């Protein structure tokens, strides 16, 4: 890994959003993945600050839902680079999506019977536990170095946010 380049964070983040919004079938280098994650965290943080100042929760919820597909695609690509099946990312994405949707429902209708069932039956706790276990396992895989050269998931990614060769 080379030195940290702050401008590369935004470059990788916006290129991923524009060109690979959800592209789980490619390999993603460790640097590209973590730069994208850092950009997503920064963007979410900025939206949360603005939403908080405006006393609105909807923009943060929308941004959170909008970032799930590119985060899933990048996470899948990172798993593929380490030689693991990219579908493992869904062990984290599905619980997060479920929690996000119930949170949206609770914000707009706190006395909805489904929301009360979600909270009182322990489904919320079970889902959070699954998400936490999946998060820890996936972070372990995401920090591993990629397999050198080609693997069963494709050619090795080159450099920060490198584009695959045209076919």
């Amino acid at each position: 890994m080379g030195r940290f380049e702050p401008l590369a964070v935004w470059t990788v983040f916006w290129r991923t959003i524009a060109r690979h919004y959800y592209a789980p079938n490619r390999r993603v280098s460790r640097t590209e993945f973590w730069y994208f994650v850092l950009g997503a965290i920064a963007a979410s943080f900025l939206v949360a600050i603005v939403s908080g100042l405006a006393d609105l929760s909807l923009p943060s919820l929308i941004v959170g839902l909008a970032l799930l597909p590119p985060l899933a695609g990048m996470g899948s690509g990172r798993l593929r680079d380490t030689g693991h099946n990219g579908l493992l990312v869904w062990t984290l994405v599905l619980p997060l999506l479920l929690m996000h949707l119930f949170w949206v429902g609770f914000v707009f209708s706190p006395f909805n019977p489904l929301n009360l069932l979600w909270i009182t039956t322990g489904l919320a706790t079970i889902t959070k536990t699954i998400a936490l276990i999946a998060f820890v396992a996936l972070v372990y895989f995401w920090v591993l170095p990629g397999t050198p050269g080609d693997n069963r998931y494709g050619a090795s990614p080159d450099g920060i946010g490198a584009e695959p060769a045209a076919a």
Side-chain angles (χ1 to χ4, degrees), residues 75-76 79-80 82-90 138 152-153:
S76 175
L79 287 169
R80 293 166 64 87
T82 62
H84 296 89
N85 191 333
L87 293 176
L88 287 173
V89 79
W90 291 100
L138 289 174
R152 63 183 166 162
Y153 297 110

Side-chain angles (χ1 to χ4, degrees), residues 126-142:
I126 292 168
T127 305
K128 289 176 188 176
T129 304
I130 291 169
L132 178 64
I133 292 168
F135 177 74
V136 170
L138 289 174
V139 166
Y140 170 76
F141 291 131
W142 289 333

Side-chain angles (χ1 to χ4, degrees), residues 9-103:
V9 170
W10 289 111
T11 303
V12 169
F13 179 75
W14 290 113
R15 182 177 37 240
T16 300
I17 296 294
R19 295 185 189 162
H20 307 291
Y21 187 73
Y22 178 71
N25 296 327
R26 66 186 191 107
R27 287 177 60 181
V28 175
S29 71
R30 191 167 31 177
T31 304
E32 180 183 7
F33 175 77
W34 290 110
Y35 275 19
F36 178 77
V37 168
L38 186 58
I41 290 169
S44 297
F45 187 68
L46 290 173
V47 169
I49 288 172
V50 171
S51 296
L53 292 174
D55 200 24
L56 300 170
S57 60
L58 190 59
S60 292
L61 294 171
I62 290 171
V63 168
L65 285 173
L67 284 176
L68 271 178
L71 282 167
M74 292 294 282
S76 175
R78 183 72 202 117
L79 287 169
R80 293 166 64 87
D81 189 44
T82 62
H84 296 89
N85 191 333
L87 293 176
L88 287 173
V89 79
W90 291 100
T91 61
L92 177 61
V93 172
L94 290 178
L96 288 178
L97 182 62
L98 195 60
M99 290 186 308
H100 222 80
L101 292 176
F102 270 99
W103 177 248

Side-chain angles (χ1 to χ4, degrees), residues 143-155:
V143 298
L144 293 174
T147 54
D150 297 350
N151 69 13
R152 63 183 166 162
Y153 297 110

